[in-house]
Amino acid sequence: MEIQFARSARSTVGLEWEVAIVDRTTGELAPIADRVLEILDARSEGGRHPSITSELLTNTVELVSGVHERVAGAVADLEGQLAEVRSVIDELGEYEVVCSGSHPFSQWYDQHLTDKPRYHKLIERTRWWGRNMMIWGIHVHVGIEERDKALPILDGLLAYLPHLQALSASSPFWAGVETGYASNRALMFQQLPTAGLPYSLPDWAAYERFVDDLVRTGVIEDHTEVRWDIRPSPRWGTVEVRVCDGVSTAWEIAAIGALVQCLVEWMSTRLDDGEKLTVLQPWYVRENKWRAARYGMDARIITDVAGTERLVADDLHDLITTLVPISLRLGCAAELQQLRTMLDGGASYQRQLRVAEESGGDLTAVVAHLARELREGLSPE
């Protein structure tokens, strides 16, 4: 099976942001995305909004940026789309928009499936696990100018998967329970048959054989159904980082987007120089994912093939310094430095836990907190 990898300008960036709609009074998820999209489509030229789409559940809309050279442009694109969604939500009058990796207390059996054949097929196959996918994330696409760089860069990025997961962790609650995990979403999502960590494949031909195997055996219909935490995206000519939980402020998306863009460009430059990228053993990668999901910013991760362990926050501080020259070249230096503010101020899961404790365990207060962050922003200063 031949899979074409689209031409893409090097290290260009695109962002996707999944947001949930909740009832303003109860905090419960609200199944009105179809109404919101109908209104947005009616206001759009050609009868369909070019960037705001549906998702698996009718409580969710996805905002999709265009292709940008700079992270700031992609984030501004998303902010404009969020303003469009909010204008409809505010007109309807009873709802709010939130973003986190999970909803603190809504139940899966109360949610409605978006009426699309591929979603019905997914749920028919995955049943209980699929119906439990009340999860939201952000995805970062970075352009790869040469197809044969995509898989080496993917392998190299796996060493930084726990950094991204810890920074974005925002799903400490699930169906009303405090799970003890910073990112319960990470472990829920990997229950789907083609989700989770990618396999290490030596070249593009091996990737094509892998996809062909899955198609021939009825696992998937095409490569878009390979839902790895980090994957090649042939249609767009990108590497797509999907491991991150949803975050509720635009500046945090900007910081995470800058980190991913810089990492990809850094690795691409090293490949140009003939350097071999560090690729951790698969069992280290798997352990790092679990540690970051469990402990978030307090995780001690494995940083090299020798098994050196380090606090992820400390490793992030040094990584930011390493990437400064790349960020200056890409025009995202300010966004990259905002990672230090994230490290100092705490990730979303930490803020949610703090609000829950201060409110005596009232999880509706956590939903209100998430809505407030998304509406008002959380200052990066």
Side-chain angles (χ1 to χ4, degrees), residues 56-253:
L56 174 67
L57 299 176
T58 60
N59 53 46
T60 302
V61 295
E62 183 176 33
L63 318 178
V64 182
S65 83
V67 179
H68 294 265
E69 291 187 358
R70 297 191 176 192
V71 166
V75 172
D77 194 343
L78 293 182
E79 288 184 296
Q81 294 175 39
L82 181 62
E84 290 184 74
V85 171
R86 192 177 297 288
S87 70
V88 175
I89 294 292
D90 288 347
E91 287 174 18
L92 295 175
E94 305 169 23
Y95 306 100
E96 269 290 358
V97 189
V98 300
C99 185
S100 60
S102 65
H103 188 278
F105 58 84
S106 283
Q107 300 290 337
W108 68 266
Y109 45 77
D110 292 326
Q111 311 313 313
H112 302 279
L113 192 67
T114 297
D115 190 16
K116 289 185 176 181
R118 66 190 182 106
Y119 293 144
H120 288 294
K121 181 180 177 182
L122 173 67
I123 297 304
E124 174 58 30
R125 183 161 193 243
T126 58
R127 305 301 290 178
W128 188 87
W129 282 114
R131 290 290 284 124
N132 266 276
M133 291 296 128
M134 297 186 301
I135 55 176
W136 298 269
I138 56 172
H139 302 164
V140 183
H141 287 262
V142 180
I144 307 294
E145 81 282 12
E146 296 178 19
R147 183 199 68 182
D148 290 341
K149 280 185 173 182
L151 292 175
I153 289 174
L154 184 157
D155 283 342
L157 285 171
L158 290 175
Y160 301 97
L161 183 148
H163 304 68
L164 292 161
Q165 188 169 279
L167 279 167
S168 65
S170 61
S171 48
F173 301 103
W174 196 272
V177 176
E178 183 181 332
T179 64
Y181 284 78
S183 175
N184 198 57
R185 169 190 172 274
L187 303 184
M188 288 292 297
F189 188 50
Q190 69 183 18
Q191 303 308 316
L192 296 184
T194 62
L197 294 170
Y199 298 104
S200 182
L201 300 169
D203 52 34
W204 194 255
Y207 173 71
E208 290 174 327
R209 290 193 298 271
F210 165 77
V211 173
D212 185 61
D213 285 346
L214 296 188
V215 171
R216 283 188 296 104
T217 55
V219 180
I220 61 175
E221 292 187 359
D222 60 50
H223 62 79
T224 64
E225 295 180 6
V226 177
R227 299 179 174 92
W228 289 339
D229 294 332
I230 305 175
R231 68 180 182 182
S233 186
R235 179 184 178 188
W236 305 113
T238 65
V239 166
E240 181 185 5
V241 173
R242 301 159 48 85
V243 71
C244 297
D245 279 11
V247 293
S248 60
T249 66
W251 72 268
E252 287 175 298
I253 293 178

Side-chain angles (χ1 to χ4, degrees), residues 233-308:
S233 186
R235 179 184 178 188
W236 305 113
T238 65
V239 166
E240 181 185 5
V241 173
R242 301 159 48 85
V243 71
C244 297
D245 279 11
V247 293
S248 60
T249 66
W251 72 268
E252 287 175 298
I253 293 178
I256 292 169
L259 176 57
V260 175
Q261 187 188 30
C262 287
L263 282 170
V264 171
E265 173 60 24
W266 180 47
M267 292 180 186
S268 188
T269 301
R270 291 162 65 191
L271 289 173
D272 290 342
D273 293 340
E275 188 176 338
K276 192 170 183 178
L277 303 180
T278 299
V279 178
L280 296 184
Q281 297 92 315
W283 42 95
Y284 283 176
V285 173
R286 182 168 296 279
E287 175 65 14
N288 276 345
K289 177 179 179 176
W290 186 87
R291 291 185 188 186
R294 169 66 178 89
Y295 300 109
M297 297 310 303
D298 293 321
R300 289 188 62 82
I301 62 168
I302 304 164
T303 60
D304 57 32
V305 295
T308 303

